[in-house]
């Protein structure tokens, strides 16, 4: 069985190191259940002799297989396949409250044989590229939350599209066979339409889009369209340092840091939310339900988001999903 697998990999060809080819051959066979837990494999010396590969090459391949948890060795038994563990890369931007909901839902819906390597790129192109370049080929599947940058798209395009799931943002890359995305445009606009009677209570509506946010600009475009369609006075606030809350104004905040600054200023000025000042926040988190009698939000269901992402790990079927964006009204608006 081992001989058949290794022959298919054509050990001597191209520039991939021989030890990595041996590793990849075993890894693929383990993950596709050609090898079962407990199956024996040749010793290093046997493999080296049978396939005319140096002992050092086989040793490096076996060491990597052991380090990754695919094989074990014990005295008197030799090398054997361990329980069939699958390694998955979850690469996201930062670990905010709503992403914590997504992450825990993702983990809870995975089978016990899946090992998740959680990494953060913090919107750094250098971090993003290095993480994917270093890990490409190491994982069974890749779940990636990207951001709008040409180098990010290039890095994503290097991954086998059948192993890749893009989440959250539509990057319009070539490798978009599998995705779970939010609709930051029309979906957001529909929520604003639903809240129109509440926005009309105020003299103006302001979109807080601070200079440090990475929220898709598409939402601002549709916000402006909404306000113009309904003849609402509006503004987009981009300078966080100059932000001051005004009475008789409704605010849309896509950043929780700015949301807390807004709420703090309302408290100092004795403004009543939902009466003197309106507040609509992006992304539901558990705390927003209880803050100031409740903060109204525009959000997808992050528990369903995580569960859907977990489904990609256990299925070979293509996944192309746009999550519904919903308005949750509370007393703040």
């Amino acid at each position: 069985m081992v001989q058949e697998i290794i022959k298919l990999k054509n050990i001597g060809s191209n520039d991939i190191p021989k030890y990595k080819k041996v590793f990849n051959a075993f890894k693929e066979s383990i993950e596709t259940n050609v090898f079962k837990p407990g199956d024996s494999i040749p010793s290093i010396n046997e493999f080296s002799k049978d396939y005319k590969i140096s002992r050092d090459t086989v040793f490096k391949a076996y060491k990597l297989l052991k380090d990754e948890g695919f094989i074990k060795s014990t005295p008197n038994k030799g090398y054997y396949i361990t329980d069939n563990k699958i390694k998955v890369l979850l690469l996201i931007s930062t670990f905010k409250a709503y992403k914590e909901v997504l992450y825990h839902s993702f983990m809870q819906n995975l089978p016990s044989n899946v090992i998740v390597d959680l990494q953060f790129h913090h919107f750094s192109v250098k971090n993003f590229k290095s993480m994917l370049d270093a890990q490409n080929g190491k994982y069974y599947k890749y779940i990636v939350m990207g951001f709008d940058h040409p180098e990010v798209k290039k890095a994503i395009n290097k991954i086998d599209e059948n192993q890749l799931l893009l989440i959250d943002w539509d990057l319009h890359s070539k490798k978009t066979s599998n995705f779970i995305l939010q609709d930051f445009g029309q979906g957001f606009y529909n929520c604003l339409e639903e809240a129109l009677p509440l926005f009309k209570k105020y003299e103006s509506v302001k979109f807080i889009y601070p200079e440090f946010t990475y929220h898709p600009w598409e939402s601002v475009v549709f916000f402006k369209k909404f306000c113009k369609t309904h003849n609402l006075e509006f503004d987009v606030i981009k300078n966080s340092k100059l932000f001051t809350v005004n009475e008789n104004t409704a605010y849309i905040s896509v950043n929780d840091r700015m949301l807390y600054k807004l709420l703090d200023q309302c408290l100092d000025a004795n403004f009543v939310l939902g009466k003197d000042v309106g507040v609509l926040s992006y992304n539901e988190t558990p705390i927003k339900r209880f803050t100031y009698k409740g903060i109204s939000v525009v959000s997808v269901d992050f528990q369903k988001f995580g569960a859907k992402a977990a489904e990609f790990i256990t299925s070979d079927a293509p996944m192309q999903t746009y999550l519904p964006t919903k308005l949750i009204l509370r007393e703040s608006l």
Side-chain angles (χ1 to χ4, degrees):
M1 183 179 291
V2 174
Q3 185 175 10
E4 292 298 320
I5 293 165
I6 299 303
K7 278 185 177 180
L8 288 174
K9 297 301 171 182
N10 199 4
I11 293 283
S13 66
N14 68 42
D15 296 328
I16 300 175
K18 288 184 179 180
Y19 83 92
K20 192 66 180 292
K21 291 183 180 181
V22 175
F23 168 82
N24 288 339
F26 276 108
K27 176 175 176 287
E28 180 179 329
S29 299
I30 292 168
E31 291 175 344
T32 55
N33 291 318
V34 175
F35 285 140
K36 302 294 192 299
D39 283 354
S40 296
I41 62 174
S43 69
I44 292 175
N45 288 335
E46 289 172 337
F47 197 101
S48 173
K49 180 180 179 181
D50 290 345
Y51 296 97
K52 296 181 174 55
I53 302 172
S54 74
R55 189 182 184 282
D56 287 344
T57 296
V58 181
F59 175 82
K60 288 176 68 176
Y62 276 36
K63 183 179 184 303
L64 188 56
L65 286 165
K66 288 181 67 176
D67 291 343
E68 296 297 322
F70 290 105
I71 66 173
K72 286 186 178 181
S73 63
T74 58
N76 302 320
K77 186 175 181 180
Y79 289 94
Y80 63 97
I81 307 298
T82 61
D83 290 339
N84 189 12
K85 299 295 183 182
I86 294 174
K87 290 196 70 176
V88 172
L89 175 65
L90 177 59
L91 178 57
I92 63 178
S93 53
T94 56
F95 204 55
K96 295 182 178 180
Y98 68 92
K99 291 172 186 171
E100 184 176 2
V101 175
L102 186 160
Y103 172 74
H104 285 300
S105 176
F106 176 67
M107 296 298 294
Q108 289 168 4
N109 284 280
L110 289 175
S112 59
N113 68 321
V114 177
I115 300 171
V116 178
D117 187 358
L118 176 62
Q119 299 286 346
F120 304 96
H121 57 70
H122 299 286
F123 298 101
S124 165
V125 173
K126 182 179 179 181
N127 288 347
F128 189 94
K129 291 174 63 179
S130 65
M131 287 173 184
L132 284 190
D133 287 347
Q135 311 302 347
N136 198 1
K138 178 179 178 181
Y139 296 99
Y140 175 62
K141 287 188 177 178
Y142 299 76
I143 299 180
V144 179
M145 182 180 292
F147 56 102
D148 191 12
H149 193 284
E151 293 301 316
V152 167
K153 296 178 184 179
K154 289 181 182 178
I156 285 174
N157 288 338
K158 294 179 180 179
I159 301 175
D160 184 336
E161 61 182 312
N162 296 314
Q163 295 178 277
L164 173 66
L165 177 69
L166 295 178
I167 62 172
D168 209 28
W169 288 22
D170 187 356
L171 301 180
H172 304 290
S173 69
K174 295 179 182 178
K175 298 288 182 70
T176 54
S177 291
N178 301 294
F179 56 77
I180 304 174
L181 303 176
Q182 295 193 55
D183 182 356
F184 292 99
Q186 188 62 47
F188 175 55
Y189 183 93
N190 294 342
C191 290
L192 298 181
E193 286 277 334
E194 188 178 344
L196 178 60
L198 297 174
F199 284 122
K200 285 187 172 181
K201 291 164 42 180
Y202 304 95
E203 294 177 357
S204 67
V205 184
K206 296 185 179 182
F207 194 118
I208 307 173
Y209 191 89
E211 64 278 8
F212 48 77
T213 189
Y214 285 90
H215 189 89
W217 181 254
E218 183 182 13
S219 293
V220 178
V221 173
F222 277 82
F223 163 74
K224 291 180 178 180
K225 177 183 177 182
F226 165 75
C227 292
K228 291 175 181 177
T229 299
H230 297 287
N231 297 314
L232 298 175
E233 292 292 329
F234 71 93
D235 192 15
V236 178
I237 301 171
K238 299 180 183 178
N239 191 328
S240 61
K241 295 179 181 178
L242 300 179
F243 172 72
T244 302
V245 66
N246 296 314
E247 195 173 2
N248 295 320
T249 303
Y251 293 92
I252 300 172
S253 177
V254 296
N255 179 272
D256 284 351
R257 191 194 319 177
M258 292 304 299
L259 172 65
Y260 301 143
K261 185 174 182 178
L262 186 159
L263 296 177
D264 191 49
Q265 290 190 21
C266 287
L267 183 63
D268 290 342
N270 291 318
F271 290 152
V272 178
L273 295 188
K275 180 181 178 183
D276 302 318
V277 173
V279 176
L280 178 63
S281 176
Y282 222 103
N283 297 322
E284 171 73 316
T285 62
I287 196 65
K288 289 177 184 177
R289 179 181 173 187
F290 304 104
T291 302
Y292 283 80
K293 298 183 181 180
I295 303 298
S296 296
V297 295
V298 171
S299 184
V300 299
D301 187 326
F302 287 101
Q303 285 192 329
K304 290 184 179 178
F305 198 154
K308 194 68 178 175
E311 186 181 317
F312 174 73
I313 304 303
T314 57
S315 172
D316 292 327
M319 180 170 291
Q320 299 180 347
T321 301
Y322 277 94
L323 298 167
T325 305
K326 296 184 178 181
L327 175 69
I328 304 174
L329 287 175
R330 298 183 179 120
E331 291 190 30
S332 68
L333 193 59

